[in-house]
Amino acid sequence: LGNLRTFGILHSLLQNTQEGLNRALNTEEITELLSTSVAAIKLLSLMEPSLAKSGQPALLRALYTVKIANVSTSTLALQNQEMREVGHILRTAAAEALFQIYGQDSFVLLLEALYAPTLEVRGTAITALGRLGEVRALPHLQVLANNIAHPLSTLAQEAIGTIKKVNPHYMTLLRPSSANNEPV
């Protein structure tokens, strides 16, 4: 998997599927493009780190992808169609790949996503920062967690809990004043 030709194929595949997602309206086509993109991302993350890092622009594009699709929901009595955001699978795969390729150095990339204009991207970043377990994320997450009216407050609280579990020895060193940062 570690050769330049394989990287080129995976990178092109990822770029092409992302372009296709921008135009796709059909639910089946969207599902196929999302699945192909996720597979390409997973394979890219398994490549030699120096090659995988060359795919950063495509991974960041995937991390910021928001795709709304018509989704069928059915109950025993009714079959309904509703518009729903379906790009979460792609964003999650991209965040996981960034974490796998960069390790703790993915913090900066995930922190930038935390301040994205769309809630969906911010939610993915919150979850990824929690999984990363990086103590430096706490002040940024605390701002969201403290605002219980914010739609991502609960998710931020969960991420903070995860970080605290992973780093119990750092929690006694943190000062409460670090939680007073203003959101961007």
Side-chain angles (χ1 to χ4, degrees):
L1 268 183
N3 67 37
L4 192 57
R5 184 166 188 256
T6 303
F7 169 79
I9 292 168
L10 289 173
H11 192 261
S12 293
L13 178 62
L14 185 55
Q15 287 180 318
N16 291 340
T17 56
Q18 289 174 333
E19 290 296 323
L21 269 174
N22 289 337
R23 296 184 304 273
L25 299 174
N26 178 311
T27 304
E28 291 79 25
E29 182 181 12
I30 291 169
T31 301
E32 183 178 320
L33 288 166
L34 285 170
S35 297
T36 303
S37 294
V38 168
I41 287 171
K42 287 182 179 184
L43 290 171
L44 184 66
S45 71
L46 296 175
M47 297 197 75
E48 174 184 314
S50 62
L51 283 175
K53 287 180 180 180
S54 299
Q56 181 183 1
L59 291 173
L60 290 176
R61 185 174 177 193
L63 181 63
Y64 286 84
T65 298
V66 175
K67 183 66 180 175
I68 308 294
N70 206 359
V71 178
S72 295
T73 58
S74 60
T75 61
L76 293 176
L78 299 171
Q79 173 90 14
N80 293 323
Q81 297 281 325
E82 67 179 49
M83 297 303 283
R84 191 180 296 167
E85 202 287 322
V86 294
H88 63 279
I89 188 169
L90 184 56
R91 288 190 308 276
T92 301
E96 180 64 29
L98 289 168
F99 180 68
Q100 204 167 337
I101 294 167
Y102 292 97
Q104 292 300 113
D105 291 339
S106 64
F107 170 73
V108 174
L109 301 171
L110 297 172
L111 187 62
E112 287 178 19
L114 180 64
Y115 292 98
T118 55
L119 284 176
E120 293 85 2
V121 173
R122 293 175 76 188
T124 301
I126 290 168
T127 301
L129 285 167
R131 185 184 177 291
L132 186 62
E134 177 60 59
V135 175
R136 294 178 295 168
L138 288 173
H140 303 276
L141 295 171
Q142 196 65 50
V143 172
L144 291 169
N146 288 343
N147 181 359
I148 58 171
H150 195 283
L152 298 174
S153 176
T154 303
L155 195 57
Q157 291 169 13
E158 291 170 5
I160 289 169
T162 301
I163 292 170
K164 287 180 177 180
K165 284 179 188 172
V166 173
N167 300 290
H169 52 286
Y170 286 113
M171 294 308 104
T172 58
L173 300 176
L174 293 177
R175 295 185 347 207
S177 63
S178 66
N180 293 330
N181 293 348
E182 292 298 316
V184 174

